[in-house]
């Protein structure tokens, strides 16, 4: 008999979870005005709100916390991290920042000016925010398949080269400071970008003289998908794949809260000495001196180890296949999920799940509520509440997709937790025709309303 899969780690430290009752949760969520962001973490049993900064560190990373060098300038921990970043990315220059959006803020302060165009594959919201804040525009050049949940494509995060070339032809070179390739593409559901596509995108950029930067938050998960789905890379190591991937770009911004396997941190890595020097000035202004940039010495040490661990095949296999395991369990129960599964999350299709709830009553939000109340699981709505109102008409924008995202923290939950999530959703799915009532808004902020919106049951 073939031996079944088992995680390549054992657990040394545990954090107890409180198993609340449905009566308790009904009271808590009412007090939280039916907004999952308002819950205390102690009121949540399995937390799938985000995979950002919520993972578990290894014993080696914790050991680094003890030997961290907290010197203001020239910290040993900085040298360790710098050496690791150079070895894994191949980029010569490096600046630490306190998280991913801070790296964007520093780099874009150098590169982006009013009226610029920054093409990319479905920019992450903070990336887009930092572009638009500078009165520039982000142009989405993702392939069309990314927006069709039913169609299978192994690399739904790919850049559409025709769309990209159109942008290059339409605007003068001076207006396009760079393009951003996000690996994996978070906005498209954690979907990977192929090496072939990265290579071709890079060639097109070179032809037009436009630099290419990676938004590399999940670069290791992307490398894993390349190894599994692109034949030429089946025998390469994750580190070899990552290094080749980065060789097609000019630099990167990183949220270390994802594939850095730490709870807080970020950085910029790049090849240009000139841009590094300019970015250093902004780093000192916004983040801190260039040898710590908003991070503790001990945190830089833990990140150095985290980057090494995140680029090992065994870790990535346990990570990405755990997400897929949840997807497979849900499909076994006929629960409608998005295809193919992303690297860090499973998306439940609420339009197919609860079509009986009118879209005006926030389908995906309602489903996320039901999931919490019945089982203590916290997901997040990616639907009408998140899509916000039209800034001109102030009417609700109804996106094509109403999703509940279940993001899986790294090395944190076991497959028993995945089984629990799958059965909780199956139970709701089996009684879905009874769910006819949604929610209405009683109070909301003028922008980014999902974090603070107050709702009531209809
Ligand atoms: C999380 C994330 C960011 C922003 O990083 P923070 O560390 O949250 O500031 C940028 N891009 C992508 C793709 C991300 O997932």
């Amino acid at each position: 008999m073939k031996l079944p899969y088992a995680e390549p780690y054992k657990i040394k430290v545990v954090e107890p979870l409180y198993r609340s009752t449905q009566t308790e949760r009904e009271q808590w969520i009412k007090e939280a005005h039916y907004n999952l962001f308002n819950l205390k973490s102690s009121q949540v049993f399995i937390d799938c709100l985000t995979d950002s900064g919520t993972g578990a560190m290894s014993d080696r990373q914790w050991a680094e916390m003890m030997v961290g060098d907290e010197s203001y300038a020239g910290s040993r921990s900085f040298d360790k991290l710098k050496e690791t970043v150079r070895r894994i990315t191949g980029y010569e220059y490096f600046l630490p920042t306190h998280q991913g959006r801070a790296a964007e803020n520093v780099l874009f302060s150098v590169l982006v000016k009013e009226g610029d165009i920054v093409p990319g594959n479905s920019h992450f919201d903070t990336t887009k925010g930092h572009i638009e804040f500078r009165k520039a525009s982000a142009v989405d050049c993702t392939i069309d398949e990314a927006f069709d949940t039913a169609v299978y494509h192994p690399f739904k995060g790919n850049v559409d080269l025709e769309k990209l070339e159109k942008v290059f032809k339409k605007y003068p070179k001076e207006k396009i400071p760079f393009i951003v390739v996000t690996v994996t593409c978070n906005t498209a559901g954690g979907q990977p970008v192929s090496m072939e596509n990265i290579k071709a995108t890079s060639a097109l950029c070179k032809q037009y003289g436009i630099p290419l930067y990676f938004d590399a938050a999940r670069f290791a998960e992307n490398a894993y998908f390349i190894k599994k789905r692109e034949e030429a890379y089946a025998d390469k190591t994750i580190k070899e794949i990552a290094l080749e991937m980065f060789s097609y770009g000019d630099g990167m911004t990183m949220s270390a809260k994802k594939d850095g396997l730490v709870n807080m941190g970020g950085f910029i890595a790049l090849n240009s000495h000139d841009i590094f020097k300019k970015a250093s000035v902004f780093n000192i202004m916004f983040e801190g001196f260039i040898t710590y940039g908003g991070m503790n010495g001990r945190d830089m040490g833990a990140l150095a180890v985290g980057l090494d661990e995140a680029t090992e095949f065994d870790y990535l296999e346990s990570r990405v296949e755990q997400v897929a395991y949840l997807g497979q369990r849900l499909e076994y129960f006929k629960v409608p999920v998005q295809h193919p599964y992303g690297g860090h999350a499973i998306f439940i299709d609420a339009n197919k799940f609860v079509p009986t709830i009118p879209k005006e009553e926030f389908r995906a939000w309602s489903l996320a509520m039901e999931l919490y109340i019945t089982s203590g699981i916290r997901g997040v709505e990616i639907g009408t509440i998140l899509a916000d109102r039209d800034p001109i008409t102030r009417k609700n924008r109804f996106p094509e997709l109403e999703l509940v995202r279940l993001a899986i923290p790294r090395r944190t939950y076991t497959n028993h937790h995945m089984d629990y999530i799958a059965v909780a959703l199956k139970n709701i799915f089996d009684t879905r025709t009874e769910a006819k009532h949604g929610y209405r808004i009683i109070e909301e902020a003028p922008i980014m309303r999902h974090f603070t919106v107050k709702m009531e049951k209809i």
Side-chain angles (χ1 to χ4, degrees), residues 121-122 140-153 155-163 166 188 191 197 338-339 400-401:
N121 55 340
S122 298
D140 189 1
C141 297
T142 317
I143 56 168
D144 289 332
E145 287 90 333
F147 308 102
D148 188 343
T149 57
V151 59
Y152 180 83
H153 188 292
F155 293 102
K156 274 188 174 175
N158 277 358
V159 177
D160 185 321
L161 296 168
E162 274 176 36
K163 287 185 193 171
K166 254 189 212 153
Q191 298 293 328
N197 186 255
Q338 211 180 6
H339 277 110
E400 214 168 296
L401 291 174

Side-chain angles (χ1 to χ4, degrees), residues 169 188 207 236 241 308 312 335 340 356 370 379 397 412 431 442:
K169 282 190 169 142
Q207 190 190 322
K236 297 239 192 266
I241 294 171
D308 254 325
E312 285 301 318
V335 173
T356 47
E370 196 61 18
R397 286 189 284 213
T412 303
T431 54
I442 51 173

Side-chain angles (χ1 to χ4, degrees), residues 99-101 104 124 126 182 186 215 217-218 255 257-258:
Q99 62 183 94
R101 70 199 66 185
E104 291 165 356
F124 185 66
T126 61
T182 307
N186 190 351
D215 177 348
R218 295 181 184 78
S255 167
K257 304 174 71 168
K258 319 310 183 0

Side-chain angles (χ1 to χ4, degrees), residues 225-292:
F225 282 117
I226 288 175
K227 184 175 168 72
K228 296 290 276 193
R229 297 182 185 170
E230 236 173 317
E231 223 180 299
Y233 294 89
D235 296 326
K236 297 239 192 266
T237 66
I238 298 294
K239 285 188 167 65
E240 285 167 345
I241 294 171
L243 204 55
E244 179 177 340
M245 209 162 79
F246 287 127
S247 76
Y248 298 120
D250 298 275
M252 63 187 279
T253 55
M254 176 76 187
S255 167
K257 304 174 71 168
K258 319 310 183 0
D259 280 353
L261 288 175
V262 291
N263 304 113
M264 189 56 72
F267 61 85
I268 300 167
L270 75 177
N271 278 334
S272 158
H273 184 248
D274 177 50
I275 295 170
F276 166 72
K277 276 181 70 176
K278 288 177 182 154
S280 296
V281 177
F282 288 106
N283 215 57
I284 291 168
M285 207 153 67
F286 299 144
E287 293 294 296
F289 186 58
I290 57 171
T291 62
Y292 71 89

